Amino acid sequence: MKKIGFFGGSFDPIHLGHLNLAIQLLEKKGLDQILFCPALLSPTKQDHPPHVSPEHRMNMLRLSLEDVPGCEPYEAELMRPPPSYTIDTIKRLQGNKIYLILAEDAAYGLDQWKDSEELLDLAPPLIGTRFGFDNEKLNGLPEKIKLKVQEGMCQISAMDISSTHVRERLKKRLYCGHLLQGKVLDYIHQNGLYSNNFKS
């Protein structure tokens, strides 16, 4: 039975912070593979849908991961009507040992996810954290979820990068080579993404 990490998100665009989190958890937890799964539309972002099309986000993901061992794109959520619920995808992956890959900030909102307790039973979380958890935020979670989050904590050296920050820099035509892989940056420029006149 394989140990597989499931890493969901908008990936709008995928950046080096995403890769850093995935690779460190893959290595530290002895995972066989991590699946990067872009959401068609996250339930928590229905008022703020992704800035570029699913096709562009998947193309950037494929470019980003083509030379990264153990990391693969997974497009299951792009094939289903929105919104994209993680538990529906996790149920399709049963038969392997599945772990939910999360950045620390996402962990504090787990109680808002659909069927969150069942989800964490099916796919225990692995959460990359740099300095340990924020106890105030942690204590705001229901007890069962809080315990799962604590068990899943993994100390990593984090890169403080957000897709929002990347998009803002791209819109201003500022240098982004320290935030994105070169091939992803080339794709963004070639397709005019994240500028005022991008092609969808």
Side-chain angles (χ1 to χ4, degrees), residues 106-141:
Y108 301 127
L110 273 171
D111 58 322
Q112 304 300 313
W113 293 30
K114 181 185 177 185
D115 300 333
S116 53
E117 291 191 6
E118 182 186 1
L119 170 63
L120 299 185
D121 285 338
L122 293 172
L126 293 178
I127 303 153
T129 177
R130 187 173 180 182
F131 299 114
F133 288 124
D134 180 322
N135 285 323
E136 185 176 338
K137 292 180 180 178
L138 189 61
N139 289 330
L141 292 171

Side-chain angles (χ1 to χ4, degrees), residues 8-21:
S10 297
F11 301 114
D12 188 28
I14 184 169
H15 54 65
L16 293 176
H18 294 130
L19 290 176
N20 175 67
L21 173 67

Side-chain angles (χ1 to χ4, degrees), residues 172-192:
K172 295 175 183 175
R173 301 181 183 276
L174 296 173
Y175 179 78
C176 291
H178 58 311
L179 306 174
L180 302 167
Q181 291 159 294
K183 58 184 113 179
V184 174
L185 193 53
D186 288 344
Y187 181 90
I188 288 169
H189 290 323
Q190 287 163 8
N191 290 277

Side-chain angles (χ1 to χ4, degrees), residues 12-54:
D12 188 28
I14 184 169
H15 54 65
L16 293 176
H18 294 130
L19 290 176
N20 175 67
L21 173 67
I23 290 167
Q24 289 201 58
L25 290 177
L26 179 92
E27 294 175 351
K28 287 177 181 287
K29 295 299 181 178
L31 304 182
D32 295 299
Q33 187 181 44
I34 291 184
L35 301 177
F36 285 67
C37 185
L40 186 60
L41 178 62
S42 168
T44 61
K45 299 180 180 178
Q46 295 193 64
D47 295 333
H48 305 283
H51 291 73
V52 301
S53 69

